[in-house]
Amino acid sequence: MDVKEYSNLPIFKDISPKTIEEIFRVGKISDYKKGDIVFFEMEKDDTFYLILDGVVGIFVESEGGKEKILSILGKGNFFGEMAILEGKPRSAGVRVLEDSKFLILNKKDFLDMITKEPKLSLNVIVEMSRRLRYTDQQIKDLIFRDAASRLARSILVLSDEFGKKKDNDIVIDFAITHQSAAEITGLARETVSRVFTRFEEEGILKIERHRIVIHSLDKLRRFTTSEE
């Protein structure tokens, strides 16, 4: 495998090509299909995963079986580091949302790499801090924002991560249903459906083959600032 195409991933910022090649050498490449469960919450596993391609959802499940998607991660993101660093079971499960390819490191190799390469360790910390900030925002949204504002903010986050320019629109380039949007926002599916209908009627976006096509980012952003 030519690792040069992955050298621009955020986790490899300021990392030498030699070190990147070593990481790929000690790791294992694995392919997962859409719908696969990588692991469940509370599993005892100490493996680190770097997403080389695809999309995954980090989720938790209530005792009644209701799921909440905590975050959606794409190419260049990683997961599994918390269980390694804490020495505890998985804090959440991971489901593959689009066919994916991972670079997988076992606990020893992951710890060896971040110990030998401080810049790699710093890059991991920066990403973990970004996720903590996102979690803080989610909590704020749950407390202070209405349904339209919560859904609008979630769509904007997804557009930043997965949006692709198509003519005058932005297409979120992975399949998302009303149910998965409900799991992301913590809203009821029926509520999500009503808000999507409102957004479509106002010409803000449309759903096309399970892809969200955003016509106006500005109009969408207005919903996230109205409660500020």
Side-chain angles (χ1 to χ4, degrees), residues 54-73:
V55 184
V56 305
I58 312 298
F59 71 95
V60 292
E61 192 173 18
S62 70
E63 292 183 1
K66 184 177 180 180
E67 286 189 5
K68 170 71 170 75
I69 297 179
L70 302 178
S71 60
I72 294 178
L73 307 178

Side-chain angles (χ1 to χ4, degrees), residues 43-62:
E43 275 191 18
K44 292 183 177 180
D45 183 28
D46 52 8
T47 309
F48 173 85
Y49 298 79
L50 173 63
I51 305 171
L52 301 179
D53 195 19
V55 184
V56 305
I58 312 298
F59 71 95
V60 292
E61 192 173 18
S62 70

